[in-house]
Amino acid sequence: MSNPDVLIVGAGPVGLNLGLCLLKQGLSFRIIDKKSGPTTSSNAVGVNCRTMEVWESLGFIDEAIKRGLKVHGTSLYSDSELLNQVKFDLIESKHDFMLALPQAHTEKLLLEELAKNGITVDWEHELTSINQSPEDVTVAIKHNEKDEEFSYRWVVGCDGYRSSVRDLSGLTRACHDLPLHFLMVDAEVSGEISTSTVNILFHDKGMIFMIPMRDSIRVVVEISTDEEYKHLKTCEPDTFREIIAKRYPKINIGRVDWSSAFYIHECLADNYRNGRIFIAGDASHTHSPMGGQGMNTGIQDTWNLAWKLGQVKRGEVADTLLDSYSLERRAIGHDVLERSGKLTTMATTTNPILKRLRNFGIHHLADWDIVRSKVANGLSQSNICYENSPLVKHEQVRKSGQLKYPEYQGDKWTLLTLEDSNDQLPSYIRMINVNQLPLHAHYCLIRPDGYTAMYANDITEIFEYFRKNHFNLK
Ligand SMILES: Cc1cc2nc3c(=O)[nH]c(=O)nc-3n(C[C@H](O)[C@H](O)[C@H](O)COP(=O)(O)OP(=O)(O)OC[C@H]3O[C@@H](n4cnc5c(N)ncnc54)[C@H](O)[C@@H]3O)c2cc1C
């Protein structure tokens, strides 16, 4: 039996999601993970609208929404006083909310979706070496103390922060740690707290961040005093209650389900591709959890990579298309690191001038639609248009205001047109008639991942685009 096209290393949310994206593209794959089973802790909680749009295309968004909790905005407090409530209703998506779904539930759902297609994860299988040739990638996989060799056309490392795929294949990254420490618990919380919004409380002793979930509330608290540091490793529920009471006495912490401590590593890989080897998710980027971008960014990496692998496999385009994966997604990783770093600095500052500016901004500017829209669309990753990519005519696309068409995303390119046409198109493009297009254009070309590629008035411009990007037009 021949080996599958792709080996996915790591069955966290990113590796599992990649499997589902590859299924949509008709590629065969195997998923391995060195652990004995999926995560049981809640880790990443916030699912953003762009991830929901992907899950809609993959066919299980209704089930995800059923299992999660819709969160509609953010309540911001300073020293116990409410500064403002910022709603998410200006997110440019039909999913104009955040879905609170603990990572263990996300992984369970993704595993169930894979199982419906007969795919299971090979648990307790660890990648231990990797070598590539122009034809394939050979890996050693350790199972039951034995190493066995296999070859695949491509290998994708979704193997997290300590990625072996990244390190063994010579991909490098730049890292630095932020001097901030946090405690995180999932607990029953009562008192003055909104259960339909995220709650962010700024405090000189250290900020608190609370996300409502179905059965409990995720509470993250910044630890900034020497007295509290000693509790970082083992924090008893009563100590945690005291830490919270010192900052925000208006809530009570009841039952504690889970706790963990963390500090922030900011890392970004220099390249997400080395030949036939790719990395995605935490293997490529890690950053502050402020803004809930980690898992969501990884899921978008896989959505970007899968259709490109599909087209290359089917011989519809040259292998050079795969370079655009790192080009496009690394730029997004860079932006996410920068944005989440700034948010963290803003939320944790004790500088009196910065604090006053922050609180003034939240109190007054956050009511302006233009500010709310920018923040909400930025955090939900709805404002992406891959402006550094040769695959997007970004000036046109920005001007049109229509950066993506999630309703058309899937496995093919879509050409929206105002007029019937007899032009013969390759099988990977479908044509759809519409009544109106932005910029008074006659054509709008949409990538398989839903992002707008270009507008045109003449079909020859569309053919020229594909030719220039090395697509096979027969
Ligand atoms: C306590 C905690 C809280 C968090 N909270 C948030 C949050 O609120 N919001 C947010 O966005 N993010 C949060 N994160 C980060 C989020 O969990 C990650 O961004 C997300 O899990 C990344 O998914 P991944 O699939 O890339 O990597 P991982 O989830 O790390 O999965 C990698 C998998 O690869 C496997 N693996 C590693 N090496 C090998 C190998 N050599 N062979 C085979 N398998 C291998 C591992 O066993 C693991 O299962 C949190 C993380 C933690 C730990």
Side-chain angles (χ1 to χ4, degrees), residues 99-146:
L99 184 70
L101 187 67
Q103 189 171 322
H105 295 228
T106 296
E107 291 187 16
K108 184 168 181 285
L109 179 60
L110 299 176
L111 282 163
E112 285 170 10
E113 290 301 313
L114 286 167
K116 281 184 195 163
N117 291 281
I119 310 279
T120 51
V121 173
D122 289 335
W123 298 108
E124 296 178 346
H125 284 68
E126 179 178 2
L127 176 127
T128 53
S129 80
I130 187 163
N131 287 294
Q132 61 177 317
S133 71
E135 288 76 39
D136 58 16
V137 191
T138 302
V139 296
I141 296 177
K142 188 170 166 184
H143 177 59
N144 285 340
E145 298 305 315
K146 267 198 269 158

Side-chain angles (χ1 to χ4, degrees), residues 3-4 34 47 59 120-121 140-141 147 168 190 202 210 236 278 291 375 388 402 411 430 439:
N3 274 335
K34 64 182 180 184
V47 175
T120 51
V121 173
I141 296 177
D147 272 338
L168 293 171
S190 57
F202 307 120
M210 289 186 272
E236 294 301 323
F278 301 85
V375 173
N388 64 336
Q402 193 76 47
D411 51 355
R430 61 180 172 166
L439 306 179

Side-chain angles (χ1 to χ4, degrees), residues 226-274:
D226 287 344
E227 168 55 24
E228 290 173 352
Y229 271 132
K230 59 179 191 254
H231 300 299
L232 265 178
K233 283 225 166 80
T234 48
C235 184
E236 294 301 323
D238 276 344
T239 316
F240 190 77
R241 290 183 186 106
E242 277 169 36
I243 290 173
I244 294 293
K246 278 190 212 151
R247 290 159 173 78
Y248 191 53
K250 295 180 181 175
I251 53 170
N252 296 309
I253 305 285
R255 185 194 77 236
V256 171
D257 297 332
W258 172 80
S259 71
S260 177
F262 71 95
Y263 65 101
I264 299 170
H265 315 281
E266 279 194 336
C267 298
L268 183 64
D270 299 311
N271 201 325
Y272 291 9
R273 177 187 188 196
N274 178 0

Side-chain angles (χ1 to χ4, degrees), residues 305-359:
L305 179 59
W307 68 268
K308 294 174 180 173
L309 291 175
Q311 284 212 274
V312 172
K313 158 85 198 286
R314 293 189 294 273
E316 293 162 353
V317 62
D319 170 86
T320 46
L321 177 70
L322 299 176
D323 286 335
S324 69
Y325 165 65
S326 184
L327 186 78
E328 293 182 348
R329 292 307 302 169
R330 189 182 178 279
I332 301 300
H334 179 269
D335 288 353
V336 170
L337 246 79
E338 207 171 72
R339 194 177 321 121
S340 57
K342 278 187 191 153
L343 278 175
T344 307
T345 308
M346 185 194 84
T348 55
T349 185
T350 49
N351 177 312
I353 298 171
L354 287 181
K355 265 172 48 184
R356 221 176 296 155
L357 274 175
R358 173 195 68 201
N359 293 354

Side-chain angles (χ1 to χ4, degrees), residues 177-182 222-224 229 262-264 344-345 348:
D177 293 336
L178 296 188
L180 297 167
H181 293 81
F182 296 87
E222 180 200 354
I223 300 299
S224 60
Y229 271 132
F262 71 95
Y263 65 101
I264 299 170
T344 307
T345 308
T348 55

